[in-house]
Amino acid sequence: MSVRTLPLLFLNLGGEMLYILDQRLRAQNIPGDKARKVLNDIISTMFNRKFMEELFKPQELYSKKALRTVYERLAHASIMKLNQASMDKLYDLMTMAFKYQVLLCPRPKDVLLVTFNHLDTIKGFIQDSPTILQQVDETFRQLTEIYGGLSAGEFQLIRQTLLIFFQDLHIRVSMFLKDKVQNNNGRFVLPVSGPVPWGTEVPGLIRMFNNKGEEVKRIEFKHGGNYVPAPKEGSFELYGDRVLKLGTNMYSVNRPVETHMSGSSKNLASRTQESIAPNPLAKEELNFLARLMGGMEIKKPSGPEPGFRLNLFTTDEEEEQAALTRPEELSYEVINIQATQVRTGDYTGSNLIPFLIF
């Protein structure tokens, strides 16, 4: 387990959370000034200097429940509020999106490019807030300083740590199912085509050398894929072409889609066992949460501006029903998401959410 994984996990999941909230604020026609305030408040809290100092300290990952608590507090760092069922759904979408990105990274180091893609898009949300922009840029510099010199082996350990964190999550997302990158059991299908990792060659050739290091023979073989060389390496600078598109905003382009989230009975049973089993790291986990939340320094909304509730479901009735039928510890019932404008009627499925996904 890598002790340098937590910042990458937190920043990427946080980026996905902001993408979803931005889309829902637009879909529910929240006034622009209120929507900007929500995103500014959350981003300002997320990149708080003291909070980042705690986050970047070398430490092991803790449970999904502990991290979810942090994101729940983040989501409520402004005048916007989410009910429990909507928060469940938000966290589900965040985790599956980033799991997909980690799996598809051409090489372990590219998880850093995925993080930079998230930060680049977040900076687009706060272009008119130079103080918050400075906070994000400072985090970027910390990432470059800490991760810029890591070896390929250290990045491989980080990637393995992330995959271990996500290994029990098999939530079916319809855009992945329709694109045939995910099976009906919720497991992803790795592609056998496209660019190979930067610095590697297209498979299909075996070279043989003698004891003097001279090439003496070549054998070609069929690899069964459709690979091409990588055009160039993505930029790890503050500004530049990342090349890799993983981690960019999936919800910025309109594409009708239904999203189904589910877990098999075996998975649900194991999650139930996990939730009731004694946690040997419970004390450390509580200390971890206390340090992180103590660093957040969430400011209470001031002034007469009223708060509002953001609903990730189509109607309040569906959200209430989800809250009643969806156990807190087992938040993976089937959920259908319809990426259309907010309206009533003409929907199928138990829970429907307007989403914009490419």
Side-chain angles (χ1 to χ4, degrees):
M1 299 286 284
S2 171
V3 295
R4 289 295 187 186
T5 307
L6 183 61
L8 299 181
L9 176 64
F10 175 81
L11 291 171
N12 285 287
L13 287 179
E16 291 299 322
M17 180 180 76
L18 290 166
Y19 295 169
I20 298 166
L21 292 179
D22 171 66
Q23 189 280 324
R24 292 303 300 142
L25 289 166
R26 289 184 281 110
Q28 291 189 199
N29 297 318
I30 301 300
D33 57 340
K34 280 191 174 184
R36 283 191 297 273
K37 175 174 174 52
V38 168
L39 294 180
N40 284 357
D41 288 348
I42 293 176
I43 295 171
S44 177
T45 302
M46 180 176 170
F47 290 92
N48 176 275
R49 182 180 60 83
K50 292 183 179 179
F51 180 59
M52 285 294 118
E53 287 176 358
E54 291 295 336
L55 190 71
F56 276 92
K57 291 178 180 178
Q59 54 193 299
E60 292 186 1
L61 293 185
Y62 292 101
S63 69
K64 301 175 185 67
K65 186 175 181 180
L67 283 178
R68 181 218 153 91
T69 302
V70 176
Y71 288 112
E72 187 162 358
R73 182 158 179 175
L74 262 182
H76 295 98
S78 185
I79 57 176
M80 179 200 72
K81 301 301 175 186
L82 293 171
N83 283 353
Q84 189 69 36
S86 287
M87 187 65 215
D88 284 345
K89 189 170 293 185
L90 173 63
Y91 189 71
D92 288 344
L93 290 169
M94 291 159 50
T95 52
M96 280 309 290
F98 185 44
K99 177 180 180 178
Y100 177 65
Q101 294 158 14
V102 174
L103 283 170
L104 263 64
C105 276
R107 56 179 182 167
K109 186 178 180 179
D110 287 336
V111 72
L112 192 56
L113 290 177
V114 175
T115 309
F116 290 167
N117 274 337
H118 279 109
L119 295 188
D120 289 344
T121 309
I122 289 172
K123 288 165 68 173
F125 292 148
I126 51 173
Q127 289 179 345
D128 299 329
S129 304
T131 302
I132 309 177
L133 270 171
Q134 187 177 1
Q135 291 178 256
V136 179
D137 284 343
E138 177 57 32
T139 298
F140 189 102
R141 282 187 282 272
Q142 286 180 277
L143 286 168
T144 303
E145 179 182 345
I146 293 173
Y147 296 92
L150 295 187
S151 66
E154 289 171 309
F155 274 109
Q156 174 65 8
L157 186 58
I158 287 174
R159 183 175 184 270
Q160 289 177 340
T161 305
L162 288 170
L163 292 177
I164 290 171
F165 180 83
F166 290 123
Q167 67 180 346
D168 294 329
L169 297 179
H170 306 299
I171 304 167
R172 296 177 298 140
V173 180
S174 69
M175 72 170 179
F176 298 147
L177 293 169
K178 291 177 181 178
D179 292 341
K180 300 187 184 303
V181 298
Q182 190 180 31
N183 292 324
N184 285 329
N185 61 6
R187 298 181 184 275
F188 289 108
V189 179
L190 297 182
V192 289
S193 61
V196 297
W198 174 257
T200 64
E201 298 180 5
V202 174
L205 180 64
I206 299 175
R207 296 185 177 91
M208 298 185 182
F209 299 84
N210 60 19
N211 57 4
K212 297 180 181 180
E214 299 170 339
E215 184 177 328
V216 295
K217 187 177 181 181
R218 291 189 174 192
I219 300 176
E220 294 185 357
F221 66 92
K222 294 183 179 180
H223 51 70
N226 185 23
Y227 298 104
V228 296
K232 60 179 180 179
E233 185 178 25
S235 172
F236 290 89
E237 301 298 324
L238 181 59
Y239 301 100
D241 182 7
R242 311 300 177 198
V243 179
L244 197 68
K245 300 304 179 185
L246 298 171
T248 54
N249 192 349
M250 297 190 301
Y251 309 96
S252 60
V253 179
N254 192 357
R255 175 186 174 186
V257 64
E258 290 182 353
T259 304
H260 309 270
M261 299 182 180
S262 67
S264 68
S265 58
K266 181 179 179 181
N267 289 335
L268 292 179
S270 65
R271 291 175 65 84
T272 303
Q273 185 63 31
E274 177 185 357
S275 67
I276 63 176
N279 182 2
L281 295 176
K283 183 177 180 180
E284 289 82 354
E285 192 167 283
L286 290 174
N287 291 336
F288 159 75
L289 284 174
R291 289 197 306 272
L292 283 184
M293 292 182 173
M296 279 186 176
E297 294 184 350
I298 295 177
K299 298 179 180 179
K300 296 293 184 181
S302 58
E305 187 173 9
F308 67 93
R309 181 172 63 85
L310 192 70
N311 187 359
L312 269 74
F313 294 78
T314 306
T315 65
D316 290 345
E317 289 75 14
E318 288 179 358
E319 186 180 47
E320 292 170 1
Q321 182 63 27
L324 292 174
T325 60
R326 201 174 185 197
E328 182 178 353
E329 298 296 338
L330 304 175
S331 59
Y332 296 101
E333 297 289 323
V334 174
I335 301 171
N336 300 319
I337 300 177
Q338 179 73 26
T340 57
Q341 294 181 350
V342 179
R343 58 178 182 168
T344 58
D346 298 329
Y347 289 119
T348 60
S350 57
N351 304 317
L352 304 168
I353 309 174
F355 263 93
L356 305 177
I357 305 177
F358 75 87

